[in-house]
Amino acid sequence: DAKTTQPPSMDCAEGRAANLPCNHSTISGNEYVYWYRQIHSQGPQYIIHGLKNNETNEMASLIITEDRKSSTLILPHATLRDTAVYYCIVFISGNTPLVFGKGTRLSVIA
Amino acid sequence: DAGITQSPRYKITETGRQVTLMCHQTWSHSYMFWYRQDLGHGLRLIYYSAAADITDKGEVPDGYVVSRSKTENFPLTLESATRSQTSVYFCASRGSARDTQYFGPGTRLTVL
């Protein structure tokens, strides 16, 4: 699996957009970019995923660069409940499971 | 619409005892997974299963046994628990190779 690089921690003011970067420079053409988050002690929660195009759902937006070597997860209006560890995962299809790195610890501050 | 459940949610056991952690999903997903999470190590894969009666080792399988006789259940057994197996265990499932993977709420296991 391709590796990802994320900053270990970030802060964001409540109500502002949180932009979480992820580098995946060795991603191959058939690998998706997935984002999960884990709120303290809970199971990881799926947020969004994409292949080439930008994606948006009710939780977040995913912006993937044209060369696919990096992506950004955007939480448009962060709330205190968005405080969590966010994982960027590059996933190759087939029988392989998701492999988690250390993620980014996002702290939303009032 | 329970989704994916784990039981028990909390378990305290003693070294050397056998303990089984249960995972049940109501979606008829083909794939199921067991991860453990320890401070400083993040989520590590123990075992996974692509279908009933098919299982495969993950990153840290030693000391664990799994079975998958029914699609909806994927129990994880610690045959002789050790203190190093104190951890939070997460079960997950997904429908197909490219489907979203969903996680259960976790089981916090303490081995004394």
Side-chain angles (χ1 to χ4, degrees):
Chain A
D1 286 0
K3 292 183 178 179
T4 62
T5 304
Q6 299 179 253
S9 64
M10 293 181 63
D11 292 338
C12 178
E14 189 178 21
R16 304 295 293 269
N19 297 282
L20 292 92
C22 179
N23 287 321
H24 30 79
S25 59
T26 60
I27 192 170
S28 62
N30 61 349
E31 289 179 314
Y32 286 75
V33 179
Y34 274 75
W35 282 83
Y36 278 76
R37 73 180 182 184
Q38 188 174 23
I39 297 169
H40 179 63
S41 296
Q42 298 180 19
Q45 176 189 24
Y46 166 79
I47 301 173
I48 198 166
H49 74 281
L51 183 63
K52 295 181 182 179
N53 300 320
N54 298 337
E55 302 287 345
T56 296
N57 63 20
E58 63 278 4
M59 288 182 68
S61 294
L62 174 60
I63 308 297
I64 302 174
T65 58
E66 193 168 344
D67 63 8
R68 302 211 323 123
K69 291 184 177 182
S70 66
S71 60
T72 301
L73 178 75
I74 301 172
L75 307 179
H77 306 286
T79 71
L80 298 177
R81 286 175 293 182
D82 292 321
T83 292
V85 178
Y86 287 78
Y87 298 97
C88 169
I89 302 166
V90 171
F91 175 57
I92 190 167
S93 65
N95 290 341
T96 54
L98 291 177
V99 176
F100 287 77
K102 294 188 182 299
T104 296
R105 183 173 297 277
L106 175 69
S107 298
V108 180
I109 302 165
Chain B
D1 113 307
I4 184 165
T5 57
Q6 294 183 235
S7 61
R9 295 293 313 280
Y10 302 90
K11 177 75 176 178
I12 299 174
T13 191
E14 294 177 337
T15 301
R17 296 213 180 226
Q18 178 176 295
V19 60
T20 296
L21 310 184
M22 302 302 295
C23 178
H24 176 77
Q25 49 99 358
T26 59
W27 297 304
S28 298
H29 281 174
S30 296
Y31 294 82
M32 295 188 75
F33 309 86
W34 275 106
Y35 294 82
R36 61 177 288 175
Q37 186 170 37
D38 310 297
L39 280 174
H41 282 102
L43 282 148
R44 293 183 292 174
L45 184 70
I46 305 171
Y47 269 97
Y48 64 103
S49 168
D53 298 322
I54 299 173
T55 62
D56 214 340
K57 294 180 180 179
E59 182 185 353
V60 289
D62 293 342
Y64 302 95
V65 175
V66 292
S67 61
R68 186 106 183 265
S69 57
K70 290 185 177 182
T71 300
E72 61 267 28
N73 297 324
F74 192 37
L76 176 74
T77 297
L78 290 66
E79 292 191 305
S80 179
T82 65
R83 288 195 182 91
S84 65
Q85 292 176 310
T86 292
S87 188
V88 181
Y89 291 84
F90 290 102
C91 179
S93 73
R94 71 171 188 251
S96 70
R98 277 213 171 122
D99 273 353
T100 299
Q101 189 163 313
Y102 295 97
F103 284 79
T107 293
R108 185 175 294 274
L109 176 68
T110 301
V111 183
L112 302 176

